[in-house]
Amino acid sequence: MSTAIVTGAVQGIGAAIARRLAKDGINVAINCRSEQRIENGGRQLAEELRSYGVEAECFAADVSDFEQCKAMVEAVKKRFSTIDYLVNNAGITRDGLLVRMTEEAYDEVINANQKSVYNMMKHVGAVMLRQKSGRIVNISSVIGLYGNAGQFNYAASKAAIIGMTKSAAKELGSRGITVNAIAPGFIETPMTEELSEEVRNAILENISLKRYGKVSEVAGLVSFLFSEDAGYITGQTIEISGGLSM
């Protein structure tokens, strides 16, 4: 049975991806930032995934930390023997206008959102190269495609992921490894639920389908990219935004 690592998998899009992969018959290594996160949601999610007939286990690691990622990948490999799929989903926001943004707020977002992708692709990529197979999906954002006022750091991190995806696809393709990015638009998550009704309505005006996306829809796209039908797709960034850019 194949195995996937999903970073930032305790809630929102990450949890939905973990559930979908488990339903697809894939063992799931659930990455949580800390042991506290494992206790507050991680263990419960793992139990749910096991109910689908797969193996699931939580692994604590701050994916912005190179050595913690290395240790986690080694632990996952030891536990499951193979690492066939990687979803780089972990991310944070520290919004603010550029001229007011602190260096700390910028660095924190770049490390959590962008450096984490380097850390994980480097360590998991080495495993996949030896296996001569693998699929990687990096979760970017429409903000990385179009930018957004007040999210200079977030836009920088998500735009960088797109370039990293294309470069990794060129480097790893000869070994049968595909690397793609997904750029979600406004998805119903705890983060969007905190927006005021006025802001939510203003956002909907710019979405062709006039609704927010579902985490299950993003998870479904990941599932497709990991399927045999997507074996000839690599280096692509697929926007899933309900027509936000139209």
Side-chain angles (χ1 to χ4, degrees):
M1 189 177 287
S2 56
T3 300
I5 298 178
V6 183
T7 68
V10 177
Q11 64 179 4
I13 292 174
I17 292 170
R19 289 188 182 97
R20 178 57 186 263
L21 297 182
K23 291 177 180 178
D24 289 345
I26 299 171
N27 295 330
V28 182
I30 302 167
N31 162 246
C32 303
R33 186 173 184 177
S34 63
E35 291 291 341
Q36 183 178 5
R37 293 290 286 169
I38 290 177
E39 295 300 327
N40 297 331
R43 293 195 191 284
Q44 182 177 350
L45 177 60
E47 290 178 7
E48 179 186 345
L49 300 190
R50 293 185 196 110
S51 72
Y52 302 128
V54 301
E55 296 183 52
E57 189 169 328
C58 297
F59 295 83
D62 179 348
V63 288
S64 69
D65 185 283
F66 185 85
E67 292 300 328
Q68 288 189 41
C69 287
K70 180 180 179 181
M72 178 176 67
V73 171
E74 290 174 351
V76 173
K77 180 68 164 58
K78 182 177 180 180
R79 169 66 176 80
F80 293 101
S81 299
T82 67
I83 302 174
D84 307 281
Y85 308 104
L86 168 64
V87 182
N88 283 308
N89 168 76
I92 63 171
T93 58
R94 297 290 184 269
D95 295 347
L97 296 174
L98 169 60
V99 295
R100 298 176 182 173
M101 184 175 291
T102 65
E103 182 180 12
E104 180 183 14
Y106 181 84
D107 289 346
E108 190 175 359
V109 169
I110 294 299
N111 287 335
N113 297 7
Q114 179 190 342
K115 187 170 184 290
S116 63
V117 174
Y118 157 73
N119 292 340
M120 291 301 298
M121 284 207 294
K122 176 178 173 62
H123 296 307
V124 174
V127 174
M128 290 181 172
L129 282 171
R130 289 192 292 270
Q131 295 174 171
K132 296 183 179 180
S133 65
R135 302 280 179 93
I136 299 173
V137 167
N138 299 318
I139 305 300
S140 180
S141 169
V142 291
I143 306 304
L145 293 172
Y146 310 116
N148 194 36
Q151 291 191 301
F152 181 87
N153 48 3
Y154 187 76
S157 69
K158 293 300 186 177
I161 287 172
I162 293 171
M164 294 163 75
T165 296
K166 293 179 182 295
S167 297
K170 291 181 177 181
E171 291 186 13
L172 303 178
S174 64
R175 295 297 183 94
I177 302 164
T178 68
V179 188
N180 292 288
I182 292 175
F186 292 94
I187 309 298
E188 286 284 5
T189 65
M191 188 181 300
T192 56
E193 289 173 1
E194 294 177 1
L195 299 174
S196 68
E197 185 175 354
E198 181 181 1
V199 171
R200 287 174 63 88
N201 289 337
I203 291 171
L204 288 174
E205 285 298 314
N206 294 316
I207 299 175
S208 297
L209 293 180
K210 302 305 177 188
R211 68 172 178 86
Y212 283 79
K214 301 174 183 177
V215 292
S216 61
E217 292 171 321
V218 179
L221 181 51
V222 174
S223 175
F224 168 70
L225 289 172
F226 285 170
S227 71
E228 291 185 6
D229 290 336
Y232 204 54
I233 299 173
T234 194
Q236 303 305 302
T237 299
I238 303 175
E239 181 178 339
I240 178 167
S241 67
L244 181 66
S245 63
M246 295 172 64

